[in-house]
Amino acid sequence: MRWSSLFIPTLREAPAEAEAVSHQLLVRGGFIRQLQSGHYSMLPLAWRVNKKIVKILCEEMDLIGAQEVMLPAIHPASVWQKSGRWDAIGDDMFRFVDRKDAEQVLAMTNEEVVATVALELSSYRDLPQMWYQIQTKFRDEPRPKSGLLRVREFDMKDSYSIDIDDAGLDNSFNLHHQAYERIFARLGLNAIPVEASSGAMGGSDSVEFMVESPAGEDDVAVCDSCDYSANVERATSIIPEVENRLGNETLEKFETPNIRTIEALSEAGHPPEHQIKTLVYMVDGELSLILLRGDHQFQEQKFRDSTSAMEIAPAEEETIKKALGASPGSLGAVGIDGIKTFADPSLKGRSVMTTGANEDDFHLSGVDVDRDIKVDQWVDVRSIADGEGCPSCSNPLRVVRCIEAGHIFKLGRKYSEAMGMSVLDSEGNSQIPTMGSYGIGVGRAMAAIAETCCDDSGLIWPISVAPYEVVLTVVKTDDENSMEVADKIYKDLKAHGIDVLFDDREERPGVKFADAELIGIPLRVTIGPRGLENGIVEFLDRSDPEKTQTELGVEEVKDFLLEKISAELDLTA
RNA sequence: CGGGAUGUGGCGCAGUCUGGCAGCGCACCUGCUUUGGGAGCAGGGGGUCGGGAGUUCAAAUCUCCCCAUCCCGACCA
């Protein structure tokens, strides 16, 4: 295409509200424009990238035997009521009422619909099935952010597997795992598979594919010495045991005027690791205590996962005061009976501890956890920290910020059972099939690539997804010879299937070079009178201009580029 | 939903405190010069100052209400 007739509105400066690198570059490069918070138009360049990502997704899904479908994006409330998610999900789902007063939802995912279609499966001979689609999803995010990274409307590749038994599900899951590794490699993303929490999706196992980036929203624990990696919502670690202090082992109440924090109490001679942190939460409507060591952080998702609690939130101060008789900062679980108490295992066997006395300005010392506190349930709810020991090899873990680029779930029979699926097995017995679901956000993948493939001058697309593979930069458009040669090369490249962008704009060379770099075209051929005098044009690779700078005869350009492109695509395919 | 900030032409910003002709840079249009890394000169077009109400002779500026956007947190199938 000729740049002069394209809509590529580049900007010299990014809008003030764009913070994430990918957001700034995609806006500056003329790829996207915001309509409202969480809703973006994809302009021609972005849509070309989008289509290339989609193509890779389809190819890899097809390769594992998945079949492409297209499901409705508007669902009746009834299917969501049947699965229980109508109530479980809440405000994140867009809902509306149609003219007949029927309640409707804008689909955020499609397990219910898949399970409904799958009611037609009646025999084990029909299984397994894998269906996928690339379709717009709607989620009423409480806080859309960072450009395309978190939006309310986005295209997602969602696929679903249906198997007769657990072994079948394992197989479908593994096929997806492998497909995802190939997909991310082809997209130029270094995505690490990590153990994850399944959250409200339900199910047993889940793996997230994480791309390290400061723009991400998840923290992941990775071990550089072995292959352990897990979302902090699930990660465990080995920490040194704390020796109980020598000291008075009997309970003693002492005055602690104005001491409300772990830190303040620590300064008063009670180190955090010898304190019991007492949190008060409403767990599915029931007031509950959650106990941790003073120097540990609470990991809410771990708590949800291990207690199957649906709704948890810190209790209001007034509620706390009414139940315990004191405000946060002076709370403790000693002598409490009748309030459900959860405790982190790191408190097991601990004594000579300090905790709040449930009386403002007073604490208790000499607390023996086993003796003085009635724990209803021991649960690992501690957030691991950077540098702690890997649970599988005990070397130090690193905690890194990541973008969640993909997530695969073993759902089990939650949806197939709810929707009433059943098939006959080889013995004529009725079986409820088991399902998996697997997602990759297209726009988020684009943003993740933009986030990680860029430099000070702009984007650097991998050839596999670049909006154009090659840009032909004509330095002097009013030089007839230049234009003639450029036009010839342009037609030649096009005829050989190369995506080429012909920068025929009447702009100064500096502007053209800067724009080409900003929009991230991986390969550049510069055509100008200076080179043509010697019968050559200049080539360089966006990712490393200095080392790759090459002079090419006009006739060699096509073969040179074809080889470059196929070499890079082969590397990742 | 809690905390913080911002809203002035397509983008970046000044002006708001202390009320008095709506400005600057980039981008855009015309002409001339220039032409291998974001040109120069001259001329020109474009703004309900987020919206509404109020105070005032006079409001971008002061008051009240609302809206939008961004950041942190909560939440995130």
Side-chain angles (χ1 to χ4, degrees), chain A residues 485 489 525-527 531-532 535-539 550-554 557:
Chain A
V485 170
I489 294 175
V525 174
T526 308
I527 298 162
L532 289 180
I536 58 109
V537 297
E538 295 143 68
F539 165 84
T550 314
E551 296 187 343
L552 296 174
V554 173
V557 174

Side-chain angles (χ1 to χ4, degrees), chain A residues 13-272:
Chain A
E13 282 174 290
E17 57 266 15
E19 181 134 319
V21 173
S22 61
H23 188 191
Q24 294 183 355
L25 291 176
L26 289 172
V27 172
R28 279 191 57 209
F31 289 77
I32 58 170
R33 287 295 185 264
Q34 185 184 70
L35 179 63
Q36 59 170 330
S37 182
H39 299 264
Y40 286 83
S41 302
M42 292 222 189
L43 308 185
L45 284 184
W47 194 244
R48 292 181 71 94
V49 175
N50 198 94
K51 282 197 285 194
K52 292 199 177 179
I53 295 172
V54 164
K55 185 157 176 276
I56 290 173
L57 292 169
C58 290
E59 285 172 4
E60 294 298 337
M61 283 294 108
D62 293 344
L63 204 63
I64 60 169
Q67 307 156 74
E68 189 170 11
V69 295
M70 182 54 87
L71 305 168
I74 294 180
H75 306 171
S78 58
V79 296
W80 288 79
Q81 285 158 346
K82 234 180 199 168
S83 71
R85 291 207 287 184
W86 175 259
D87 294 318
I89 281 176
D91 291 338
D92 281 2
M93 187 152 65
F94 283 104
R95 302 163 197 244
F96 66 99
V97 174
D98 69 14
R99 64 202 297 162
K100 292 180 291 188
D101 263 348
E103 289 185 292
Q104 304 283 327
V105 314
L106 291 182
M108 55 203 314
T109 175
N110 289 268
E111 284 74 13
E112 284 82 355
V113 175
V114 166
T116 301
V117 172
L119 289 175
E120 297 204 22
L121 300 168
S122 49
S123 158
Y124 73 97
R125 294 174 198 271
D126 298 331
L127 299 182
Q129 288 290 329
M130 277 196 271
W131 302 337
Y132 78 95
Q133 62 170 349
I134 289 155
Q135 185 206 42
T136 307
K137 303 293 183 295
F138 301 90
R139 298 181 183 183
D140 194 352
E141 291 288 344
R143 184 148 94 85
K145 56 178 289 201
S146 307
L148 295 185
L149 280 172
R150 178 164 292 274
V151 291
R152 303 206 305 170
E153 176 186 346
F154 58 98
D155 283 4
M156 178 165 100
K157 188 287 298 173
D158 47 327
S159 45
Y160 306 87
S161 63
I162 304 164
D163 282 277
I164 186 78
D165 55 19
D166 291 350
L169 174 56
D170 287 349
N171 187 248
S172 297
F173 187 86
N174 289 338
L175 284 173
H176 272 88
H177 196 293
Q178 291 158 21
Y180 274 36
E181 290 190 337
R182 280 194 301 269
I183 287 167
F184 291 121
R186 290 181 65 183
L187 295 180
L189 284 173
N190 179 22
I192 19 172
V194 313
E195 283 179 38
S197 159
S198 299
M201 203 52 146
S204 52
D205 267 311
S206 98
V207 170
E208 288 168 327
F209 289 80
M210 295 299 216
V211 176
E212 192 171 339
S213 160
E217 301 178 276
D218 286 275
D219 287 316
V220 172
V222 294
C223 179
D224 293 327
S225 313
C226 71
D227 59 3
Y228 179 79
S229 57
N231 194 304
V232 291
E233 292 178 351
R234 208 191 148 103
T236 58
S237 67
I238 300 169
I239 49 171
E241 265 188 45
V242 174
E243 292 265 328
N244 286 320
R245 285 187 296 181
L246 296 174
N248 195 341
E249 294 187 9
T250 54
L251 273 182
E252 200 170 305
K253 185 158 100 175
F254 62 105
E255 207 169 341
T256 48
N258 292 321
I259 291 182
R260 291 282 184 278
T261 62
I262 301 278
E263 197 186 8
L265 192 58
S266 171
E267 279 162 18
H270 301 268

